[in-house]
């Protein structure tokens, strides 16, 4: 039983170490949103830094996409791990670049809400985006850094 406790503590320490954010990624709302777009974007064949993505999000954070291709709008909720598992292999193989094109933001004390309009391309050099939409991003500042609590998007 004691060996299991030691193993659990070691795993927790390893996970915490792997998900330490870059200080510059979480120091401001601008920097954390820039880091979010940066880490999900990349050319075909590029390995993404999924630990960096994990480090941006608060424990239990949610990612929610609205899908309309099948007719009626439906929301699909993901954990950060679900997003990495489901989207990661595709975007690493095929490339994906999402770029913020405008922003509306409101803050109150330790919370912020950002409407971040974006364009999506397969390659950074593509002249026209294949999609555009908005990310509704909720953030929290614990006095030490910013955390993404949720990202809700529709394109």
């Amino acid at each position: 039983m004691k060996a299991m406790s030691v193993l659990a503590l070691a795993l927790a320490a390893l996970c915490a170490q792997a998900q330490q954010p870059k200080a510059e990624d979480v120091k401001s709302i601008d920097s954390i949103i820039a880091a979010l777009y940066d880490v999900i974007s990349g050319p075909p064949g590029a390995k993404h830094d999924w630990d960096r993505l994990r480090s941006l999000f608060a424990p239990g954070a949610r990612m929610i996409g609205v899908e309309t291709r099948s007719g009626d709008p439906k929301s699909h909720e993901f954990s950060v791990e679900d997003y990495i598992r489901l989207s990661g292999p595709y975007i690493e193989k095929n490339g994906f670049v999402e770029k913020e094109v405008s922003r509306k933001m409101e803050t109150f004390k330790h919370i912020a809400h950002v409407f971040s309009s974006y364009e999506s391309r397969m390659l950074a050099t593509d002249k026209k985006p294949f999609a555009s939409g908005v990310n509704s991003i909720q953030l929290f500042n614990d006095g030490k850094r910013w955390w993404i609590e949720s990202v809700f998007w529709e394109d």
Side-chain angles (χ1 to χ4, degrees):
M1 195 68 160
K2 193 172 189 174
M4 286 297 279
S5 298
V6 172
L7 180 59
L9 287 172
L11 282 172
L14 186 60
C15 289
Q17 182 181 19
Q19 296 177 26
Q20 288 298 312
K22 295 179 180 180
E24 63 271 12
D25 282 352
V26 296
K27 67 181 179 183
S28 69
I29 294 169
D30 288 340
S31 64
I32 198 168
I33 290 175
L36 174 64
Y37 281 112
D38 184 53
V39 77
I40 64 171
S41 298
K47 182 73 177 130
H48 291 249
D49 185 350
W50 298 123
D51 281 341
R52 183 180 181 205
L53 181 70
R54 289 177 184 100
S55 77
L56 303 176
F57 285 82
R62 305 309 293 163
M63 300 177 84
I64 307 152
V66 174
E67 182 266 317
T68 58
R69 291 177 209 29
S70 61
D72 295 331
K74 293 181 177 73
S75 67
H76 299 279
E77 187 173 329
F78 307 93
S79 67
V80 175
E81 292 305 316
D82 291 337
Y83 178 84
I84 292 167
R85 181 176 47 81
L86 296 169
S87 299
Y90 179 85
I91 64 176
E92 286 184 347
K93 178 182 177 188
N94 298 294
F96 178 76
V97 177
E98 194 166 272
K99 180 181 176 189
E100 183 177 53
V101 294
S102 69
R103 180 187 302 179
K104 292 182 182 178
M105 181 171 62
E106 291 188 21
T107 60
F108 180 80
K109 294 186 180 184
H110 297 94
I111 65 173
H113 177 248
V114 177
F115 268 129
S116 175
S117 298
Y118 63 84
E119 293 180 340
S120 300
R121 292 172 170 78
M122 296 308 289
L123 302 173
T125 56
D126 290 347
K127 297 233 187 268
K128 291 185 179 181
F130 70 84
S132 60
V134 68
N135 285 314
S136 173
I137 306 168
Q138 290 71 48
L139 302 115
F140 167 69
N141 189 303
D142 65 4
K144 298 178 184 117
R145 58 158 289 181
W146 284 96
W147 296 88
I148 298 174
E149 292 287 347
S150 68
V151 179
F152 187 31
W153 72 91
E154 182 173 9
D155 52 33

